[in-house]
Structures are given as structure tokens and as C-alpha cells.
Coordinates of all heavy atoms in Angstrom, one line a residue:
M206 N 110.7 85.3 126.7 CA 110.7 85.2 125.3 C 109.8 84.1 124.9 O 109.8 83.0 125.5 CB 112.1 85.0 124.7 CG 112.2 84.9 123.2 SD 113.9 85.0 122.7 CE 114.0 83.7 121.6
S207 N 108.9 84.3 123.9 CA 108.0 83.3 123.5 C 108.4 82.7 122.1 O 109.0 83.4 121.3 CB 106.6 83.9 123.3 OG 106.2 84.3 124.6
T208 N 108.0 81.5 121.9 CA 108.2 80.9 120.6 C 106.9 80.4 120.1 O 106.2 79.7 120.9 CB 109.2 79.7 120.7 OG1 110.4 80.2 121.2 CG2 109.5 79.1 119.3
F209 N 106.6 80.6 118.9 CA 105.3 80.2 118.3 C 105.6 79.1 117.2 O 106.4 79.4 116.3 CB 104.5 81.3 117.7 CG 104.1 82.4 118.7 CD1 104.9 83.5 118.9 CD2 103.0 82.2 119.5 CE1 104.5 84.4 119.8 CE2 102.7 83.1 120.5 CZ 103.4 84.2 120.6
N210 N 105.0 78.0 117.4 CA 105.2 76.9 116.4 C 103.9 76.8 115.6 O 102.9 76.5 116.1 CB 105.5 75.6 117.1 CG 106.9 75.6 117.8 OD1 107.8 76.1 117.3 ND2 106.9 75.2 119.0
F211 N 104.0 77.0 114.3 CA 102.9 76.8 113.4 C 103.0 75.6 112.6 O 104.0 75.3 112.0 CB 102.8 78.0 112.4 CG 102.6 79.3 113.1 CD1 103.6 80.2 113.4 CD2 101.3 79.7 113.5 CE1 103.4 81.4 114.0 CE2 101.0 80.9 114.1 CZ 102.1 81.8 114.4
H212 N 102.0 74.7 112.7 CA 102.0 73.5 112.0 C 100.9 73.5 110.9 O 99.8 73.2 111.2 CB 101.8 72.3 113.0 CG 102.8 72.2 114.0 ND1 104.1 71.8 113.8 CD2 102.8 72.6 115.3 CE1 104.8 71.9 115.0 NE2 104.0 72.4 115.9
G213 N 101.3 74.0 109.8 CA 100.3 74.1 108.7 C 100.5 75.3 107.9 O 101.6 75.9 107.9
D214 N 99.6 75.6 107.0 CA 99.7 76.7 106.1 C 99.6 78.0 106.8 O 98.6 78.4 107.3 CB 98.6 76.6 105.0 CG 98.7 77.6 104.0 OD1 99.8 78.3 103.9 OD2 97.7 77.8 103.2
I215 N 100.7 78.8 106.8 CA 100.7 80.1 107.5 C 100.5 81.2 106.5 O 100.4 82.3 106.8 CB 102.0 80.3 108.3 CG1 103.2 80.2 107.4 CG2 102.0 79.3 109.5 CD1 104.5 80.7 108.1
N216 N 100.5 80.9 105.2 CA 100.4 81.9 104.2 C 98.9 82.4 104.1 O 98.7 83.5 103.7 CB 100.8 81.4 102.8 CG 102.3 81.1 102.8 OD1 103.1 81.8 103.5 ND2 102.8 80.1 102.1
G217 N 98.0 81.5 104.3 CA 96.6 81.9 104.1 C 96.2 82.1 102.7 O 97.0 81.9 101.8
P218 N 95.0 82.6 102.5 CA 94.5 82.8 101.1 C 95.2 84.0 100.6 O 95.4 85.0 101.3 CB 93.0 83.0 101.3 CG 92.8 83.5 102.7 CD 93.9 82.8 103.5
T219 N 95.5 84.0 99.3 CA 96.1 85.1 98.6 C 95.1 86.0 98.0 O 95.4 87.1 97.6 CB 97.1 84.7 97.5 OG1 96.4 83.9 96.6 CG2 98.2 83.9 98.1
N220 N 93.8 85.6 97.9 CA 92.8 86.4 97.3 C 92.0 87.1 98.5 O 91.1 86.5 99.1 CB 91.8 85.6 96.5 CG 92.6 85.1 95.2 OD1 93.5 85.7 94.8 ND2 92.1 84.0 94.7
I221 N 92.3 88.3 98.7 CA 91.6 89.0 99.8 C 90.8 90.1 99.1 O 91.2 90.8 98.2 CB 92.6 89.7 100.7 CG1 93.5 88.6 101.4 CG2 91.9 90.6 101.8 CD1 94.7 89.2 102.1
G222 N 89.6 90.3 99.6 CA 88.7 91.3 99.0 C 87.9 90.8 97.9 O 87.9 89.7 97.5
D223 N 87.2 91.8 97.2 CA 86.3 91.4 96.1 C 87.2 91.0 94.9 O 88.0 91.7 94.5 CB 85.4 92.6 95.7 CG 84.5 93.0 96.8 OD1 84.2 92.1 97.6 OD2 84.0 94.1 96.8
H224 N 86.9 89.8 94.4 CA 87.5 89.3 93.2 C 89.1 89.2 93.4 O 89.8 89.5 92.4 CB 87.2 90.1 92.0 CG 85.7 90.2 91.8 ND1 84.9 89.2 91.5 CD2 84.9 91.3 92.0 CE1 83.6 89.6 91.5 NE2 83.6 90.9 91.7
G225 N 89.5 89.0 94.6 CA 91.0 88.9 94.8 C 91.7 90.2 94.7 O 92.9 90.2 94.5
R226 N 91.1 91.3 94.9 CA 91.7 92.6 94.7 C 91.7 93.3 96.0 O 90.7 93.4 96.7 CB 90.9 93.4 93.7 CG 91.5 94.8 93.4 CD 90.7 95.5 92.3 NE 89.4 95.8 92.8 CZ 88.4 96.0 92.1 NH1 88.4 96.0 90.8 NH2 87.2 96.4 92.6
I227 N 92.9 93.8 96.4 CA 93.0 94.6 97.6 C 92.9 96.1 97.2 O 93.7 96.5 96.3 CB 94.3 94.4 98.4 CG1 94.4 92.9 98.8 CG2 94.4 95.3 99.6 CD1 95.7 92.5 99.4
E228 N 92.0 96.8 97.7 CA 91.9 98.2 97.3 C 91.9 99.1 98.5 O 91.1 98.9 99.5 CB 90.6 98.4 96.5 CG 90.5 99.7 95.8 CD 89.4 99.8 94.8 OE1 89.1 98.8 94.2 OE2 88.8 100.9 94.7
I229 N 92.8 100.0 98.6 CA 93.0 100.9 99.7 C 92.6 102.3 99.2 O 93.2 102.9 98.4 CB 94.4 101.0 100.3 CG1 94.8 99.6 100.7 CG2 94.5 102.0 101.4 CD1 96.2 99.4 101.1
N230 N 91.5 102.9 99.8 CA 91.1 104.2 99.4 C 90.9 105.2 100.5 O 90.5 106.3 100.3 CB 89.8 104.1 98.5 CG 88.7 103.5 99.3 OD1 88.7 103.4 100.5 ND2 87.7 103.1 98.5
N231 N 91.2 104.7 101.7 CA 91.2 105.6 102.9 C 89.9 106.4 103.0 O 89.9 107.5 103.4 CB 92.4 106.5 102.9 CG 93.7 105.7 103.0 OD1 93.8 104.8 103.8 ND2 94.7 106.1 102.2
G232 N 88.8 105.7 102.7 CA 87.5 106.4 102.8 C 87.1 107.4 101.8 O 86.1 108.1 102.0
V233 N 87.8 107.5 100.7 CA 87.5 108.4 99.6 C 87.0 107.6 98.4 O 87.5 106.7 98.0 CB 88.8 109.2 99.3 CG1 88.5 110.1 98.1 CG2 89.3 110.0 100.4
D234 N 85.8 108.1 97.9 CA 85.2 107.4 96.8 C 85.9 107.9 95.5 O 86.6 108.9 95.5 CB 83.7 107.6 96.7 CG 83.3 109.0 96.6 OD1 84.2 109.9 96.5 OD2 82.1 109.3 96.5
A235 N 85.6 107.2 94.4 CA 86.2 107.5 93.1 C 85.9 108.9 92.6 O 86.7 109.6 92.1 CB 85.8 106.5 92.1
A236 N 84.7 109.4 92.9 CA 84.2 110.7 92.4 C 85.1 111.8 93.2 O 85.5 112.8 92.6 CB 82.8 110.9 92.7
Q237 N 85.3 111.6 94.5 CA 86.1 112.6 95.2 C 87.5 112.6 94.7 O 88.1 113.6 94.6 CB 86.0 112.3 96.7 CG 86.6 113.4 97.6 CD 86.4 113.2 99.0 OE1 85.7 112.2 99.4 NE2 86.9 114.0 99.9
S238 N 88.1 111.4 94.5 CA 89.5 111.3 93.9 C 89.5 112.1 92.6 O 90.5 112.8 92.3 CB 89.9 109.9 93.7 OG 89.9 109.2 95.0
L239 N 88.5 111.9 91.8 CA 88.5 112.6 90.5 C 88.4 114.1 90.6 O 89.0 114.8 89.9 CB 87.3 112.0 89.6 CG 87.3 112.3 88.2 CD1 88.6 111.9 87.5 CD2 86.2 111.6 87.5
R240 N 87.6 114.5 91.6 CA 87.5 116.0 91.9 C 88.9 116.5 92.3 O 89.3 117.6 91.9 CB 86.5 116.3 92.9 CG 85.1 116.2 92.4 CD 84.0 116.8 93.4 NE 84.0 116.0 94.7 CZ 83.3 114.9 94.8 NH1 82.5 114.5 93.8 NH2 83.3 114.3 96.0
L241 N 89.6 115.8 93.2 CA 91.0 116.2 93.6 C 91.9 116.3 92.4 O 92.7 117.2 92.3 CB 91.5 115.3 94.6 CG 91.0 115.4 96.1 CD1 91.6 114.2 96.9 CD2 91.5 116.7 96.7
A242 N 91.8 115.3 91.5 CA 92.7 115.3 90.3 C 92.3 116.5 89.4 O 93.2 117.2 88.9 CB 92.5 114.0 89.6
A243 N 91.0 116.8 89.3 CA 90.7 118.0 88.5 C 91.2 119.3 89.1 O 91.6 120.2 88.4 CB 89.1 118.0 88.3
E244 N 91.1 119.4 90.4 CA 91.6 120.5 91.1 C 93.1 120.7 90.9 O 93.6 121.8 90.8 CB 91.2 120.4 92.6 CG 91.5 121.7 93.4 CD 91.1 121.6 94.8 OE1 90.2 120.8 95.2 OE2 91.7 122.4 95.6
L245 N 93.8 119.5 90.9 CA 95.3 119.5 90.7 C 95.6 120.1 89.3 O 96.5 120.9 89.1 CB 95.8 118.1 90.9 CG 97.3 117.9 90.6 CD1 98.1 118.8 91.6 CD2 97.7 116.5 90.7
V246 N 94.8 119.6 88.3 CA 95.0 120.1 86.9 C 94.9 121.6 86.9 O 95.7 122.4 86.4 CB 94.0 119.5 85.9 CG1 94.1 120.2 84.6 CG2 94.3 118.0 85.8
E247 N 93.8 122.1 87.5 CA 93.5 123.6 87.5 C 94.6 124.4 88.2 O 95.1 125.4 87.8 CB 92.2 123.9 88.0 CG 91.0 123.4 87.1 CD 91.2 123.9 85.7 OE1 91.4 125.1 85.5 OE2 91.1 123.0 84.8
R248 N 95.0 123.8 89.4 CA 96.1 124.5 90.2 C 97.4 124.6 89.4 O 98.0 125.6 89.4 CB 96.2 123.7 91.5 CG 97.3 124.3 92.4 CD 97.0 125.6 92.9 NE 95.9 125.6 93.8 CZ 95.8 126.0 95.0 NH1 96.9 126.3 95.6 NH2 94.7 126.0 95.7
L249 N 97.7 123.5 88.7 CA 99.0 123.5 88.0 C 99.0 124.4 86.8 O 100.0 124.8 86.3 CB 99.4 122.1 87.6 CG 99.8 121.2 88.8 CD1 100.2 119.8 88.3 CD2 101.0 121.8 89.5
R250 N 97.8 124.6 86.2 CA 97.7 125.5 85.1 C 98.2 126.9 85.5 O 98.8 127.6 84.6 CB 96.2 125.7 84.6 CG 95.7 124.5 83.8 CD 94.4 124.8 83.2 NE 93.6 123.7 82.9 CZ 93.8 122.8 81.9 NH1 94.9 123.0 81.1 NH2 93.1 121.8 81.7
T251 N 98.0 127.3 86.7 CA 98.5 128.6 87.1 C 99.9 128.6 87.8 O 100.7 129.4 87.6 CB 97.5 129.3 88.1 OG1 97.3 128.4 89.2 CG2 96.2 129.6 87.5
E252 N 100.1 127.5 88.6 CA 101.4 127.4 89.3 C 102.6 126.9 88.5 O 103.7 127.4 88.6 CB 101.2 126.4 90.5 CG 100.5 127.0 91.7 CD 100.5 126.0 92.8 OE1 101.2 125.0 92.8 OE2 99.8 126.3 93.8
N253 N 102.3 125.9 87.6 CA 103.4 125.2 86.9 C 102.9 124.6 85.6 O 102.7 123.4 85.6 CB 104.0 124.2 87.8 CG 105.4 123.9 87.4 OD1 105.7 123.9 86.2 ND2 106.3 123.5 88.4
P254 N 102.6 125.4 84.6 CA 102.0 124.8 83.4 C 102.7 123.6 82.7 O 102.0 122.8 82.2 CB 102.0 126.0 82.4 CG 101.9 127.2 83.3 CD 102.8 126.8 84.5
P255 N 104.0 123.5 82.8 CA 104.7 122.3 82.2 C 104.3 121.0 82.8 O 104.4 120.0 82.2 CB 106.2 122.6 82.4 CG 106.3 124.1 82.5 CD 105.1 124.5 83.2
L256 N 103.7 121.0 84.1 CA 103.3 119.8 84.7 C 101.9 119.5 84.5 O 101.4 118.4 85.0 CB 103.6 119.9 86.2 CG 105.1 119.9 86.6 CD1 105.3 120.2 88.0 CD2 105.8 118.6 86.2
V257 N 101.1 120.3 83.8 CA 99.7 120.0 83.6 C 99.5 118.7 82.9 O 98.6 117.9 83.2 CB 99.1 121.2 82.7 CG1 97.6 120.8 82.3 CG2 99.0 122.4 83.6
A258 N 100.4 118.3 82.0 CA 100.3 117.0 81.3 C 100.3 115.8 82.2 O 99.5 114.9 82.1 CB 101.4 116.9 80.2
Q259 N 101.2 115.9 83.2 CA 101.2 114.8 84.2 C 99.9 114.8 85.1 O 99.4 113.7 85.4 CB 102.4 115.0 85.1 CG 103.7 114.8 84.4 CD 103.9 113.5 83.9 OE1 103.6 112.5 84.5 NE2 104.3 113.4 82.6
A260 N 99.4 116.0 85.4 CA 98.1 116.0 86.1 C 97.0 115.5 85.3 O 96.1 114.8 85.8 CB 97.8 117.4 86.6
E261 N 97.1 115.7 84.0 CA 96.0 115.2 83.1 C 96.1 113.6 83.0 O 95.1 113.0 82.9 CB 96.2 115.7 81.7 CG 95.8 117.2 81.6 CD 94.3 117.4 81.6 OE1 93.5 116.5 81.7 OE2 93.9 118.6 81.5
V262 N 97.3 113.1 83.1 CA 97.5 111.6 83.2 C 96.8 111.1 84.4 O 96.0 110.1 84.3 CB 99.0 111.3 83.2 CG1 99.2 109.8 83.6 CG2 99.7 111.6 81.9
V263 N 96.9 111.7 85.5 CA 96.3 111.3 86.8 C 94.8 111.3 86.6 O 94.0 110.4 86.9 CB 96.7 112.1 88.0 CG1 95.9 111.7 89.2 CG2 98.2 111.9 88.2
R264 N 94.3 112.5 86.2 CA 92.8 112.7 86.0 C 92.3 111.7 85.0 O 91.2 111.1 85.2 CB 92.5 114.1 85.6 CG 91.0 114.3 85.5 CD 90.6 115.8 85.3 NE 91.1 116.3 84.1 CZ 90.8 117.5 83.6 NH1 90.1 118.3 84.3 NH2 91.3 118.0 82.5
G265 N 93.0 111.5 83.9 CA 92.5 110.6 82.8 C 92.4 109.2 83.3 O 91.5 108.4 83.0
E266 N 93.4 108.8 84.1 CA 93.5 107.4 84.6 C 92.4 107.2 85.6 O 91.7 106.1 85.6 CB 94.8 107.1 85.2 CG 95.0 105.7 85.6 CD 94.9 104.7 84.5 OE1 95.2 105.0 83.3 OE2 94.3 103.6 84.7
L267 N 92.1 108.1 86.5 CA 91.0 108.0 87.4 C 89.7 108.0 86.8 O 88.8 107.2 87.1 CB 91.1 109.1 88.5 CG 92.3 109.0 89.4 CD1 92.4 110.3 90.3 CD2 92.3 107.8 90.2
A268 N 89.5 108.8 85.7 CA 88.3 108.9 85.0 C 88.0 107.5 84.2 O 86.9 107.0 84.2 CB 88.3 110.0 84.0
R269 N 89.1 107.0 83.6 CA 88.9 105.7 82.9 C 88.6 104.6 83.9 O 87.7 103.8 83.6 CB 90.3 105.3 82.2 CG 90.2 104.0 81.5 CD 91.5 103.3 81.3 NE 92.2 103.1 82.6 CZ 91.9 102.0 83.4 NH1 91.0 101.2 83.1 NH2 92.6 101.9 84.5
A270 N 89.2 104.6 85.1 CA 88.9 103.6 86.1 C 87.5 103.7 86.6 O 86.8 102.6 86.7 CB 89.9 103.7 87.2
E271 N 87.0 104.9 86.8 CA 85.6 105.1 87.3 C 84.6 104.6 86.2 O 83.7 103.9 86.5 CB 85.4 106.5 87.7 CG 84.0 106.7 88.2 CD 83.8 108.2 88.6 OE1 84.3 109.1 88.0 OE2 83.0 108.4 89.6
Q272 N 84.9 105.0 85.0 CA 84.0 104.6 83.9 C 84.0 103.1 83.7 O 82.9 102.5 83.4 CB 84.5 105.3 82.6 CG 83.6 105.1 81.4 CD 84.1 105.8 80.2 OE1 85.2 106.1 80.1 NE2 83.2 106.1 79.3
D273 N 85.1 102.4 83.8 CA 85.2 101.0 83.5 C 84.8 100.2 84.8 O 84.7 99.0 84.7 CB 86.6 100.6 83.1 CG 87.0 101.1 81.8 OD1 86.1 101.6 81.0 OD2 88.2 101.1 81.4
G274 N 84.7 100.9 85.9 CA 84.5 100.2 87.2 C 85.6 99.3 87.6 O 85.5 98.3 88.3
A275 N 86.8 99.7 87.3 CA 88.1 99.0 87.6 C 89.0 99.9 88.4 O 88.7 101.1 88.6 CB 88.8 98.6 86.3
A276 N 90.0 99.3 88.9 CA 91.0 100.0 89.7 C 91.9 100.8 88.7 O 92.2 100.3 87.6 CB 91.9 99.1 90.5
P277 N 92.4 102.0 89.1 CA 93.3 102.7 88.2 C 94.6 102.1 88.1 O 95.0 101.3 89.0 CB 93.4 104.1 88.9 CG 93.0 103.9 90.3 CD 92.1 102.7 90.3
D278 N 95.4 102.4 87.1 CA 96.7 101.8 86.9 C 97.6 102.6 87.9 O 98.0 103.7 87.7 CB 97.2 102.1 85.5 CG 98.6 101.6 85.2 OD1 99.4 101.4 86.2 OD2 99.0 101.4 84.1
R279 N 97.8 101.9 89.0 CA 98.5 102.5 90.2 C 100.0 103.0 89.8 O 100.4 104.0 90.3 CB 98.6 101.6 91.4 CG 97.2 101.3 91.9 CD 97.1 100.2 92.9 NE 97.9 100.4 94.1 CZ 97.5 101.2 95.1 NH1 96.4 101.8 95.1 NH2 98.3 101.4 96.2
G280 N 100.7 102.2 89.0 CA 102.0 102.6 88.6 C 102.0 103.9 87.8 O 102.9 104.7 88.0
R281 N 101.1 104.0 86.9 CA 101.0 105.2 86.0 C 100.6 106.4 86.9 O 101.2 107.5 86.7 CB 99.9 104.9 85.0 CG 100.0 105.9 83.9 CD 99.2 105.4 82.7 NE 99.3 106.4 81.6 CZ 98.4 106.8 80.9 NH1 97.1 106.4 81.1 NH2 98.6 107.7 80.0
V282 N 99.7 106.2 87.8 CA 99.3 107.4 88.6 C 100.4 107.7 89.6 O 100.7 108.9 89.7 CB 98.0 107.0 89.4 CG1 97.7 108.0 90.5 CG2 96.8 106.8 88.5
R283 N 101.1 106.8 90.2 CA 102.2 107.0 91.1 C 103.3 107.8 90.4 O 103.8 108.7 90.9 CB 102.7 105.7 91.7 CG 103.9 106.0 92.7 CD 104.5 104.7 93.2 NE 103.5 103.9 94.0 CZ 103.1 102.7 93.7 NH1 103.5 102.1 92.6 NH2 102.2 102.1 94.4
S284 N 103.6 107.3 89.2 CA 104.7 107.9 88.4 C 104.4 109.4 88.1 O 105.3 110.3 88.3 CB 105.0 107.2 87.2 OG 105.9 107.8 86.4
A285 N 103.2 109.7 87.7 CA 102.8 111.1 87.4 C 102.8 111.9 88.6 O 103.3 113.1 88.6 CB 101.4 111.1 86.7
L286 N 102.3 111.4 89.8 CA 102.3 112.2 91.0 C 103.7 112.4 91.5 O 104.0 113.5 92.0 CB 101.4 111.5 92.1 CG 99.9 111.5 91.8 CD1 99.2 110.6 92.9 CD2 99.4 112.9 91.8
E287 N 104.6 111.5 91.3 CA 106.0 111.7 91.8 C 106.6 112.8 90.9 O 107.4 113.6 91.4 CB 106.8 110.4 91.7 CG 106.4 109.4 92.8 CD 107.1 108.1 92.6 OE1 107.8 107.8 91.6 OE2 106.9 107.2 93.5
T288 N 106.4 112.8 89.6 CA 106.9 113.8 88.7 C 106.4 115.2 89.1 O 107.2 116.1 89.2 CB 106.5 113.5 87.3 OG1 107.1 112.2 86.9 CG2 107.1 114.6 86.3
I289 N 105.1 115.2 89.5 CA 104.6 116.5 89.9 C 105.2 117.0 91.2 O 105.6 118.1 91.4 CB 103.0 116.4 90.1 CG1 102.4 116.2 88.7 CG2 102.5 117.6 90.8 CD1 100.9 115.8 88.7
S290 N 105.3 116.0 92.1 CA 105.9 116.4 93.5 C 107.3 116.9 93.4 O 107.7 117.8 94.1 CB 105.9 115.2 94.4 OG 104.5 114.8 94.7
V291 N 108.1 116.3 92.4 CA 109.5 116.8 92.2 C 109.5 118.2 91.6 O 110.4 119.0 91.9 CB 110.3 115.8 91.4 CG1 111.6 116.3 90.9 CG2 110.5 114.5 92.2
G292 N 108.5 118.4 90.7 CA 108.6 119.7 89.9 C 107.9 120.9 90.5 O 108.2 122.0 90.0
V293 N 107.1 120.7 91.5 CA 106.4 121.9 92.1 C 107.2 122.4 93.3 O 108.0 121.7 93.9 CB 105.0 121.6 92.5 CG1 104.1 121.3 91.3 CG2 104.9 120.5 93.5
A294 N 107.0 123.6 93.6 CA 107.7 124.3 94.8 C 107.2 123.7 96.1 O 106.0 123.4 96.2 CB 107.5 125.8 94.7
A295 N 108.1 123.6 97.0 CA 107.7 123.1 98.4 C 106.7 124.1 99.0 O 106.9 125.3 98.8 CB 109.0 123.1 99.2
G296 N 105.7 123.6 99.6 CA 104.7 124.4 100.2 C 103.6 124.9 99.3 O 102.8 125.7 99.7
S297 N 103.7 124.5 98.0 CA 102.7 125.0 97.1 C 101.4 124.2 97.2 O 101.4 123.1 97.7 CB 103.2 124.9 95.7 OG 103.4 123.6 95.3
G298 N 100.3 124.8 96.6 CA 99.1 124.1 96.6 C 99.1 122.9 95.7 O 98.5 121.9 96.0
G299 N 99.9 122.9 94.7 CA 100.0 121.8 93.8 C 100.7 120.6 94.5 O 100.2 119.4 94.3
L300 N 101.7 120.9 95.3 CA 102.3 119.8 96.1 C 101.4 119.2 97.1 O 101.3 118.0 97.2 CB 103.6 120.3 96.8 CG 104.3 119.3 97.6 CD1 104.8 118.1 96.8 CD2 105.5 119.9 98.3
A301 N 100.6 120.1 97.7 CA 99.6 119.6 98.7 C 98.6 118.7 98.1 O 98.2 117.6 98.6 CB 99.0 120.8 99.4
L302 N 98.1 119.1 96.9 CA 97.1 118.2 96.2 C 97.7 116.9 95.7 O 97.1 115.9 95.8 CB 96.5 119.0 95.0 CG 95.5 120.1 95.4 CD1 95.2 121.0 94.2 CD2 94.2 119.4 95.9
A303 N 98.9 116.9 95.2 CA 99.6 115.7 94.8 C 99.8 114.8 96.0 O 99.5 113.6 95.9 CB 100.9 116.0 94.1
Q304 N 100.2 115.3 97.1 CA 100.4 114.5 98.3 C 99.1 113.9 98.8 O 99.0 112.8 99.2 CB 101.1 115.3 99.4 CG 102.5 115.5 99.0 CD 103.2 116.5 100.1 OE1 102.5 117.3 100.7 NE2 104.5 116.4 100.1
E305 N 98.0 114.7 98.7 CA 96.7 114.3 99.2 C 96.2 113.1 98.3 O 95.6 112.2 98.8 CB 95.7 115.4 99.2 CG 94.3 115.1 99.7 CD 94.2 114.5 101.1 OE1 95.2 114.6 101.9 OE2 93.1 114.1 101.5
L306 N 96.4 113.3 97.0 CA 95.9 112.2 96.0 C 96.7 111.0 96.3 O 96.1 109.9 96.3 CB 96.1 112.7 94.6 CG 94.9 113.4 94.0 CD1 95.3 114.0 92.6 CD2 93.8 112.4 93.7
S307 N 98.0 111.1 96.6 CA 98.8 109.9 96.9 C 98.3 109.2 98.1 O 98.2 108.0 98.2 CB 100.3 110.3 97.1 OG 100.9 110.7 95.9
R308 N 97.9 110.0 99.1 CA 97.4 109.5 100.4 C 96.1 108.8 100.2 O 95.9 107.6 100.6 CB 97.3 110.6 101.4 CG 96.9 110.0 102.8 CD 96.5 111.1 103.8 NE 95.2 111.8 103.4 CZ 94.0 111.2 103.6 NH1 93.9 110.0 104.1 NH2 92.9 111.9 103.2
V309 N 95.1 109.4 99.5 CA 93.8 108.8 99.4 C 93.8 107.6 98.5 O 93.0 106.7 98.7 CB 92.7 109.8 99.0 CG1 92.6 111.0 99.9 CG2 93.0 110.3 97.6
L310 N 94.7 107.5 97.6 CA 94.8 106.4 96.7 C 95.7 105.3 97.3 O 95.8 104.2 96.7 CB 95.4 106.8 95.3 CG 94.5 107.7 94.5 CD1 95.2 108.2 93.3 CD2 93.2 107.0 94.2
G311 N 96.3 105.6 98.4 CA 97.1 104.5 99.1 C 98.4 104.3 98.4 O 98.9 103.1 98.4
L312 N 99.0 105.3 97.7 CA 100.2 105.1 97.0 C 101.4 105.4 97.8 O 101.7 106.3 98.4 CB 100.2 105.9 95.7 CG 99.1 105.7 94.7 CD1 99.1 106.6 93.6 CD2 99.2 104.2 94.2

């Protein structure tokens, strides 16, 4: 069994990445995320129309973030994707797209 004794600041810097922002995108650029969100909107129009509004929230937030050059509101996107995931049928294309968006956005 080993024991490590640290004498000093073990917290390190809290600002990691550009401008203190940690961004996880798993190799997917903003344009590709936006295309996935648009595909989710179209898929839900046929599979589950009541959930289109939630898909529009995701697409709108990603479009706003891309336009502003900022990160999307992760809480808002996560909430909408969770609502979609609960409302669509297991094994559906809509569920697969929602899960893929969650994965690429690191949610």
C-alpha cells in the first residue's frame, strides 16, 4: 500500500481551456451538431409531433450558440433532450438521435 503526501496546492488552476471554459464535444463541430438537431426535428415531425417543440429548443439553442460563438446553454439542451428521450418509443430513430446529440455534446 502506498501513501502520497502532497505539500502544497493540490487543486491546481481552475481555469482550464480557452478563457477558463471546458468544452467537451467529442470531435464534433458546431455545424454537425446543428445538422443532428435539424434531423431530430424532422424525425419527430413524423414519429412524435408533440415533441417537436423540444427538438426546436435544442436546434434553436445550438444555432444561437454557433451564431454568438459561445457555448450552448447545456441545462436547457439537456432538459429538452431528456424530455424527448422519455417521450419517444424505445428503439426509435428519434431516441437514437437524442442520445447521439447528448453524447456529442458531452451531456
